[in-house]
Structures are given as C-alpha cells and as structure tokens.
Amino acid sequence: MSVLTRNEAQTRAQLLDVHRYTVDLDLTTGEATFDSTTAIRFTARTAGDTFVEIKPETLRSLSLDGQPLDPERLDGNRYPLDRLTAGPHELTVAATMRYSRTGEGMHRFTDPADGETYVYTQLFMEDVQRVFAAFDQPDLKSVFDLTVTTPTGWTVLGNGVSTQAADGRWHIAPTPPISTYLVAVAAGPWHSVTTQHAGLPFGIHCRRSLAPHLDADADEILDITRACYDRYHEKFDEPYPFDSYDQAFVPEFNAGAMENPGLVTFRDEFVYRSAVTDTERQTRAMVVAHEMAHMWFGDLVTLTWWDDIWLNESFAEYMGYQTLTEATRFTDTWTDFGVARKGWGYDADQRPSTHPVAPDPDAVPDTASALLNFDGISYAKGASALRQLVAWLGEKDFLAGINTHFSRHKFANATLADFIDNLATATDRDVHTWADAWLRTTGVDTLTAHVETSGHSWNLTVDRAGDRPHRVTVGTYDHSLDTHTGTDQLTLRDRFDIDIPQDGTPVTQPGHRPDLVVLNDHDLTYAKIRLDPGSWDTALTHLSGIPDPLTRALVWNTARDMVRDGELHPTVHLTAARTHLPYETDLALVQGVLGFAATQIADRYLPPQDRPTALATLTSLCRDLLRRTEGLTAKDWEQAPGTTTPGPGLRLIAVRHFIDAATQPDAIQDWLREGTVPGGPELDAELRWRILTRLAVLGATDETAIAHELDKDPSATGQEGAARCRAALPTAEAKAAAWQAMFTDDTLSNYLFTATAQGFWQPGQSELLHPYVARYYPDAIALAARRGPAIAEAAGRHAFPAHAVDPDSIRLGEQALTDPALTPALRRKLTDQLDDLRRALAVRDAH
C-alpha cells in the first residue's frame, strides 16, 4: 500500500476540485464484509493524470463518465485516472470492503453481553479508503451524501441528521464541505438519549448493554455539552456550522475521541459502569469540550497538510481546558492539565523523536510520518504554548485573531502562516517572532531561580537554559501558624509578573526573603522549573501547606522532573509523597503523584532489590488515605458523581493503588471474598478485576477463579479483564499462551491485544519473562507489518518490555531499529521506549 506524499497531495489539489460524494453502504452482506458504492463528482482544472484511493477486499467495478474501467489496474490502494480531460467528471466505484477488528476503517463489534452487533467508522488520516473510494487528503473538501442499508432494528448515525427511508434503509443529510477523514457513520441497535438545544437536535448514544450507565450520567453529559456549546458561541463569531450534535460512545475505539462533525465518537469506557473519581468525570467533560472545539478548529477550518496538525489538536486541547473552567463546575481543570498532561509533553520533548509544535513541511513528507506527530508535543506542549501566548498577547486580542481566522477560511483550509497572519491583524505585538521561537523549535527550557537578600529587600534573578521568551508569574509565600490546628502553614505574600529573559537587572522586592519563591506560579508557561535551595527545602517539608493546588502541581512536577533528570533521588520523591499526600485535597494531584511513584519510581527508576520497600511505602501511604476517609456513609457514595468533596474519590484512589502495590495476597483476597473493602466501597466489576489481576501477578489465583469471574461479568470489559489476568499468571504455560495470542494468532481485537499485553509484562516476574525480551523485537516487527498501524502502536506501547531496564535490553532494541522491515509507527514507539529505558538506567546509575 502506498502512503500519500505531500508533493502528491499538492499536485492533486492543483488539478482537482471535488464537489460531491454520493456513497451507498450496505451492511447486510455478512459478518466479514460490506458493500460500498461511491459516485464522486469533480472537476479537472486542466488535462492531466491523477489517482483515487481505495483499499477493497474486492474491487467489483469502476466507471468514469459512464465508461467502464478495468478493476485489474488497481495498484495497492491506488487506482490510476490517466489522461483526464479538463472539465467536469463523475467517477463511480463499486467494491466489497472488509470490516476491521483493529479500530480502523469500519470497525465491527459483537457485544458478548447480549450478542448485539455494532459498526462504526474511524477514517482518520487515510482510513476512509477502507470504507469507500476517495481523493483522500484534507484540502480536497467536498459535500458527502451517504445512504446506509442495515439489518432490521438498527439505527444509523452520521455527520448530519439521519432519516429512515424504509426498513433498514437510512439517509444521512448531506454535509457542508468537509475533509474525507471527517466522514462518520455509526450503525447498530443504539441506546439513545436525545434532546434539543439552541434549535438543534443533540443526542448521546451507546450500545444497549451500557444503557443503565449512560442513563445515570445523561444529565451530566448533556449539561456539559450545552454549557460548552453556549460558551463557544460567546467566544466565536462563527456559529456552530453543522445541523446536529450527536456523541456516540463506541466499543474498542483506539483514540479518546474523534471530532467527526455532527457525530463525535468516544471510547465507551467514558460510559462509567463502575465507580470513578470526580477527576475522571472532569476528564470526560474535558474530552467533550475538546472535541466540540474541533468543530471550529479542524472541521470548519481544516489544516492544508498534516504538518499543521497542531492547528487542530493544540487549540482543541487549550480550548477544552479553558472552556471547561469557565463554563462548568470543573473550575480547577488546569491543575489536572499540569499533573496529567503537561508531563506527557515534557517527556516527549526530551526524546530523540522530538519535533517542533509546528514542524517544517519537509519534515512531514507523507501520511506515515504525519501519524507519528499525534503525541504529547502536538497536544500538551502546543496547548501550553497557546496558554503562554494568551498570557503574552491578552485574551481579547487572541480571540479577535482566531475569529478573523475562522471568517477568512471557513469551510476551507489554512496553514500556520495563515493563522499567524490573522493573529497579527489583532495586535501590535510581533507574533511572527513569537511563533518562530515557540512553534518552530524543540526542547524544554529550564528556568532556575536565584534569591539573595540585600538589606531590607530581596533580589530575584532567573537563569534560562533555552531560547524562548517567557512571561511568568512569581509567587512568594511565608510560614504562618494556623491558630485552629497549631500547624505551620504557607501563606501567599505576593504575586508579580516578570519577563524572561530579564534585562540583566535583578527583580528587587521589599521585605525579608520569602520562605518559598515559585517561578511560573500560575503555570502559564512551558518550562522545567528549578527552585532556589531555600525554597526547595521549604517545598519538601511544607508542600501540602501550599494553599493553591495549581502551585502544588507545579512543585510536584518540579520534583518529577528532577527525578527523571537524576537530580533528586527517587526515594526522596517517595518520602515527599508519603509525607504530603495524606493531607492533599486535590484528587488529580493524588492520582498523578501516586501514579508516577508506582509506575515509574517503584517499577523502573529504583533497582529491583529496592522495589519491595517502595511498594511497602505506597501501601502504607494508601492505608493512611483509607484511614483519612473512614466513616463515609452510603449517602456519601451516592453523592460522589457530583460532589466536590474529596472523600469518596480519595478513598477510591487509595483502594486502587493499595491493590496495585500489594506484595501479599491476604488483604485483597479477603476483600474479594467479602465483596467489599472494610468501610467501603463495595467491589464493583472494575475493582474485582483489578484485585484478580494483582492476585494473578502474585500467583495467588488460577484459571478456575478467572473463569468464574468471567461468568459473573461476561461483558466486553470482563473479557479484557480475563485476558489481562491470564497473561499475568506467573507460569511458563500462561506466558506462552499469551505470547501466542499476541504475536502469532492475529485474531485478537485491538482491545484484547492491549489487555493481554498489559497483563504479560510484570516487573516482579523478570526471571520468567527474560527469554521474551529478545523475542519481542523480531515478533513485534513482523506483527506490525502484518496488522497495521493501530496494532503496531499497541505493540510498541503496551507489549514493550518496559521493565527490562538493563544494557542488554537496550542493545537489542538498538539493533532492531536498524531492521529495514520496521514500520514507521513501530519505529517511533521503539525509539521512545528505548530512550525511556536509557533514562531509567541513568537514574539508577546516578544514585
């Protein structure tokens, strides 16, 4: 199969205007394939040669302007259109297409809970070719007019309002001009909750087995949707550009969500069937806000080529968090961004695979290379850069610039240059220079504070390792005594803004030296922060006493960065977590710090002989959190979905991490047997599978128990839980069976592959797993070549031996990178994973 190059796309865009696709899909032809018929109306500006893309099971027929073409001329995924004459044309293509089990193209899923079948499309980048013939590039926008034939009893959702023409025959209203990758269809016996807002139909949909769980949260999801919709209309001059707003929660979805106009698709784990924290509800709400922002950033105005993916993702990320903060009860979203997303960007930006937020077009020569840039840089770093831009430019001018951008390019395409030019119309500031410094460069700046006392004042200077300009807030804090508790607290003295680089003159402030000086106190820039020694001592001893959770998040990120850079011993971070998390009130911070301590410090940065002590520290910490949340009533748990108090959510986090860190099975076996944690919560399906997975790792359960649990929970999530448990069992037979399923059988869906991989590699089973480290590289390379990018990404992310922190494992991986058979998707994942192994090894060696 050929990938589309930028040069080919430019040539084709100069030749063609594409007007309309009329697509007829028949989903009644069997379980393996469906029929697809497409008529494309287009105009050739001049005479010339081009091609159309399709990836069929069987290409049955083609005709151009009524004249038949030879199907045998299909070359991979391209059909040549030679010697086109200037003027209008109509191409008709009839094909049999194969359903996907990997979340690409037209994915088909049969729910094990009730036997119902669902299909949905994910056409991103170049997967429209798996569903119908197309001139598949983002700058050949067109109207799409779809008709879908389904089994009786199904409902069809699409980019526009769908109507049932006859039993099983559905027509989706034609779209405005959109890009090929944004076309969407979802068909099946959906459970739907519908309403009207601002004169438009709104709906949320899921498979029937999840209906009670969607109904329980329907008001919350729809309230978030309406609030974001209204807030975007206050920000943006252009109204919502489509005729309806549906949100479908679909099974085995690879991404968090996809911004198809009028039909956003989400992974259906967002339909919570088990207890979740309020931070997890906030995450779902942020994804709703993020995808809605795409209706303008990406759908109304679309990138011209994939080098500008940040114009989609960075804006949606920034707008999602900011709008959620402004329009909903989730007012601390930037704390969650700082702790859960920003580190993703920092990590990606320090690897060999780093790239600018807006890479040079020559660095994205084809679609295969473009797919690699959907990472922490395009999302988290780009959103951080925009947050800094707003701080520097002012929100009024920022919004004026983007509204000009929408007005000039609506229903069309735009580039970075277009966007910067449009911003420049709204301000006297030099946004072109700003863009060069922030969007065209790589790496993370480091800002280091130096504080000195001078008479009755103190001076601040900042060293900058890096080249970007920064506008940051400095926060100063002093010790104070809480008269009610008698405890030592930190109280904000002052906040002031400074520009970095400074002009060489220290910032002088009156009074004695503050006990804590925090650079970037509102976390408005993107840089690693280093406190002065006195402030760092205060932070380590009084971190939980810092009054603002966003400031605490920044200090925790500083500690995280210092561990990763070998500047802070991992056990010091663990000690700080043990000291301060029992007093933390922000759930995102508790979850983020515990997650880093467990998956990075205990599992990777500490040598194996120190891991049991680290796990003991974590279980002791979790016991403290459980004691802190004793006495919760049934009413507390019932109110958890909408509460802002930390009790139920904090206890749930503690229970999860206690399970994951358990080194002895007795306590969690008792919980499983009794069906409850003493003092609550009762064990739901998620917690039962979590306990059983940990028992499997410890060798304290068996296939009989796993099968019994699967009988109780035969859902898709239960199937994944059973696969995870079976792969985690510490026996040679279990590991061999899991490896066979992942790397030989080729029958696992994307989700079952991931679950199996998650269970397979366990840091406490290194001797049993050692032979598989060498097997991983050739087997993963062959698998990626056979099964494509989605499975390649899963194999590189979840099936990688991430706990094999040793020079031999790194050497094997470096040899694998020289294999010419390595696909781009897997090459990128291996490059990143090996760099993480080197970093973990360096952290161990540093101490």
Side-chain angles (χ1 to χ4, degrees), residues 638-652:
E638 290 169 2
Q639 292 178 344
T643 188
T644 56
T645 59
L650 186 62
R651 190 169 182 85
L652 182 59

mmCIF file of all heavy atoms in Angstrom, residues 638-652:
data_model
loop_
_atom_site.group_PDB
_atom_site.id
_atom_site.type_symbol
_atom_site.label_atom_id
_atom_site.label_comp_id
_atom_site.label_asym_id
_atom_site.label_seq_id
_atom_site.Cartn_x
_atom_site.Cartn_y
_atom_site.Cartn_z
ATOM 1 N N GLU A 638 -23.358 7.693 47.217
ATOM 2 C CA GLU A 638 -24.389 8.023 46.233
ATOM 3 C C GLU A 638 -24.178 9.415 45.656
ATOM 4 O O GLU A 638 -24.453 9.668 44.482
ATOM 5 C CB GLU A 638 -25.774 7.954 46.895
ATOM 6 C CG GLU A 638 -26.211 6.530 47.239
ATOM 7 C CD GLU A 638 -27.449 6.515 48.114
ATOM 8 O OE1 GLU A 638 -27.970 7.615 48.400
ATOM 9 O OE2 GLU A 638 -27.883 5.438 48.533
ATOM 10 N N GLN A 639 -23.661 10.338 46.457
ATOM 11 C CA GLN A 639 -23.479 11.710 46.002
ATOM 12 C C GLN A 639 -22.157 11.908 45.267
ATOM 13 O O GLN A 639 -21.905 12.978 44.727
ATOM 14 C CB GLN A 639 -23.536 12.666 47.192
ATOM 15 C CG GLN A 639 -24.925 12.750 47.830
ATOM 16 C CD GLN A 639 -24.946 13.676 49.039
ATOM 17 O OE1 GLN A 639 -23.909 14.019 49.577
ATOM 18 N NE2 GLN A 639 -26.140 14.066 49.469
ATOM 19 N N ALA A 640 -21.329 10.863 45.219
ATOM 20 C CA ALA A 640 -19.985 11.018 44.656
ATOM 21 C C ALA A 640 -19.951 11.582 43.243
ATOM 22 O O ALA A 640 -19.083 12.401 42.948
ATOM 23 C CB ALA A 640 -19.243 9.681 44.706
ATOM 24 N N PRO A 641 -20.857 11.202 42.322
ATOM 25 C CA PRO A 641 -20.721 11.712 40.952
ATOM 26 C C PRO A 641 -20.730 13.225 40.826
ATOM 27 O O PRO A 641 -20.098 13.774 39.945
ATOM 28 C CB PRO A 641 -21.927 11.093 40.231
ATOM 29 C CG PRO A 641 -22.180 9.837 40.965
ATOM 30 C CD PRO A 641 -21.889 10.155 42.403
ATOM 31 N N GLY A 642 -21.407 13.913 41.721
ATOM 32 C CA GLY A 642 -21.465 15.361 41.572
ATOM 33 C C GLY A 642 -20.787 16.128 42.681
ATOM 34 O O GLY A 642 -20.848 17.342 42.723
ATOM 35 N N THR A 643 -20.137 15.442 43.577
ATOM 36 C CA THR A 643 -19.589 16.115 44.739
ATOM 37 C C THR A 643 -18.270 16.789 44.431
ATOM 38 O O THR A 643 -17.552 16.392 43.525
ATOM 39 C CB THR A 643 -19.398 15.118 45.893
ATOM 40 O OG1 THR A 643 -19.042 15.842 47.066
ATOM 41 C CG2 THR A 643 -18.283 14.129 45.580
ATOM 42 N N THR A 644 -17.957 17.800 45.192
ATOM 43 C CA THR A 644 -16.634 18.417 45.092
ATOM 44 C C THR A 644 -15.795 18.100 46.327
ATOM 45 O O THR A 644 -14.676 18.579 46.444
ATOM 46 C CB THR A 644 -16.764 19.946 44.941
ATOM 47 O OG1 THR A 644 -17.538 20.472 46.036
ATOM 48 C CG2 THR A 644 -17.448 20.302 43.633
ATOM 49 N N THR A 645 -16.340 17.322 47.256
ATOM 50 C CA THR A 645 -15.553 16.908 48.416
ATOM 51 C C THR A 645 -14.704 15.707 48.028
ATOM 52 O O THR A 645 -15.111 14.876 47.216
ATOM 53 C CB THR A 645 -16.468 16.535 49.596
ATOM 54 O OG1 THR A 645 -17.329 15.463 49.191
ATOM 55 C CG2 THR A 645 -17.319 17.735 50.005
ATOM 56 N N PRO A 646 -13.503 15.577 48.605
ATOM 57 C CA PRO A 646 -12.583 14.551 48.132
ATOM 58 C C PRO A 646 -12.841 13.159 48.686
ATOM 59 O O PRO A 646 -12.247 12.203 48.213
ATOM 60 C CB PRO A 646 -11.222 15.069 48.624
ATOM 61 C CG PRO A 646 -11.546 15.861 49.858
ATOM 62 C CD PRO A 646 -12.888 16.487 49.596
ATOM 63 N N GLY A 647 -13.736 13.018 49.683
ATOM 64 C CA GLY A 647 -13.840 11.758 50.415
ATOM 65 C C GLY A 647 -13.973 10.503 49.582
ATOM 66 O O GLY A 647 -13.051 9.677 49.534
ATOM 67 N N PRO A 648 -15.096 10.307 48.872
ATOM 68 C CA PRO A 648 -15.261 9.065 48.111
ATOM 69 C C PRO A 648 -14.196 8.866 47.046
ATOM 70 O O PRO A 648 -13.665 7.765 46.876
ATOM 71 C CB PRO A 648 -16.655 9.216 47.502
ATOM 72 C CG PRO A 648 -17.360 10.194 48.381
ATOM 73 C CD PRO A 648 -16.306 11.150 48.829
ATOM 74 N N GLY A 649 -13.897 9.916 46.310
ATOM 75 C CA GLY A 649 -12.888 9.790 45.260
ATOM 76 C C GLY A 649 -11.512 9.484 45.813
ATOM 77 O O GLY A 649 -10.770 8.673 45.256
ATOM 78 N N LEU A 650 -11.148 10.134 46.919
ATOM 79 C CA LEU A 650 -9.850 9.888 47.539
ATOM 80 C C LEU A 650 -9.759 8.450 48.023
ATOM 81 O O LEU A 650 -8.734 7.777 47.856
ATOM 82 C CB LEU A 650 -9.643 10.865 48.702
ATOM 83 C CG LEU A 650 -8.276 10.836 49.366
ATOM 84 C CD1 LEU A 650 -7.185 11.212 48.382
ATOM 85 C CD2 LEU A 650 -8.256 11.790 50.571
ATOM 86 N N ARG A 651 -10.830 7.954 48.602
ATOM 87 C CA ARG A 651 -10.834 6.568 49.078
ATOM 88 C C ARG A 651 -10.720 5.598 47.907
ATOM 89 O O ARG A 651 -10.007 4.588 47.996
ATOM 90 C CB ARG A 651 -12.092 6.291 49.894
ATOM 91 C CG ARG A 651 -12.059 4.947 50.637
ATOM 92 C CD ARG A 651 -13.193 4.833 51.626
ATOM 93 N NE ARG A 651 -13.142 3.576 52.355
ATOM 94 C CZ ARG A 651 -12.420 3.374 53.441
ATOM 95 N NH1 ARG A 651 -11.664 4.352 53.924
ATOM 96 N NH2 ARG A 651 -12.425 2.202 54.051
ATOM 97 N N LEU A 652 -11.403 5.899 46.811
ATOM 98 C CA LEU A 652 -11.329 5.025 45.643
ATOM 99 C C LEU A 652 -9.902 4.979 45.090
ATOM 100 O O LEU A 652 -9.394 3.906 44.735
ATOM 101 C CB LEU A 652 -12.307 5.503 44.573
ATOM 102 C CG LEU A 652 -12.403 4.676 43.305
ATOM 103 C CD1 LEU A 652 -12.810 3.231 43.612
ATOM 104 C CD2 LEU A 652 -13.399 5.311 42.327
#
